[in-house]
Amino acid sequence: MDVELERTRTFENLKKAFFEESGLAFRYQFFATVAQFEGLERYGSLFAELADGGRTNAEGFLDFLRLARDPSSDIPFGSTAKNIQSALQTETLQFTEVYPEMARIAREEGFTDIASWFDTLEKLKRAHVRKLKETGNA
């Protein structure tokens, strides 16, 4: 590749498309669950199929993004060793900064249930970091 991908609008578009497809995949899976709960199997199957397609699209974007860097951690990824470092950086940022700030804002705005959810996610992310570090030392 003659042009460094990271310094292009295409890189920014790949990141944007990855996040959009990832989000769609999870939303459609949620829609599938709701439809199935409502007894609307046909719609549940359709949303599940769309979710699978979104996951496949997101993986395709990640395959190109690994030529540059992780769209979340902003560091190189691709091999398992690099992926562990990327995951550690992302998970650490989430439990040290992102979720505590989100919980603080939710509390300020009176959303105690949502703040509690962010607190739970902070603890979960701490556990993820611990597991990643333990696995890396095994």
Side-chain angles (χ1 to χ4, degrees):
M1 185 175 285
D2 295 331
V3 177
E4 187 176 338
L5 181 62
E6 291 181 62
R7 301 182 195 279
T8 66
R9 290 182 297 170
T10 297
F11 177 65
E12 295 304 316
N13 287 338
L14 284 169
K15 290 192 312 184
K16 181 180 177 184
F18 166 72
F19 286 121
E20 287 182 12
E21 287 293 334
S22 298
L24 281 175
F26 281 100
R27 284 184 30 232
Y28 289 161
Q29 189 58 55
F30 177 79
F31 293 174
T33 301
V34 170
Q36 290 167 349
F37 178 78
E38 293 174 342
L40 301 170
E41 294 298 321
R42 188 172 118 205
Y43 292 103
S45 294
L46 174 59
F47 282 125
E49 179 182 328
L50 293 173
D52 286 342
R55 277 190 295 278
T56 299
N57 295 344
E59 287 176 3
F61 292 126
L62 273 180
D63 195 34
F64 284 114
L65 285 165
R66 71 185 177 143
L67 299 172
R69 55 186 150 77
D70 187 310
S72 292
S73 69
D74 211 28
I75 62 175
F77 76 111
S79 68
T80 299
K82 288 179 180 178
N83 294 345
I84 290 170
Q85 291 307 307
S86 178
L88 279 169
Q89 184 157 327
T90 301
E91 299 281 323
T92 299
L93 180 65
Q94 288 176 331
F95 86 73
T96 59
E97 296 178 30
V98 175
Y99 289 129
E101 177 66 6
M102 290 178 175
R104 183 189 65 75
I105 291 169
R107 275 191 192 80
E108 285 178 3
E109 295 178 337
F111 298 107
T112 55
D113 288 349
I114 296 171
S116 178
W117 175 244
F118 288 134
D119 290 338
T120 299
L121 292 175
E122 177 188 340
K123 291 177 180 88
L124 180 65
K125 297 301 177 172
R126 284 181 191 274
H128 289 176
V129 167
R130 195 169 40 255
K131 285 180 183 180
L132 283 163
K133 287 180 177 179
E134 288 170 359
T135 302
N137 293 330

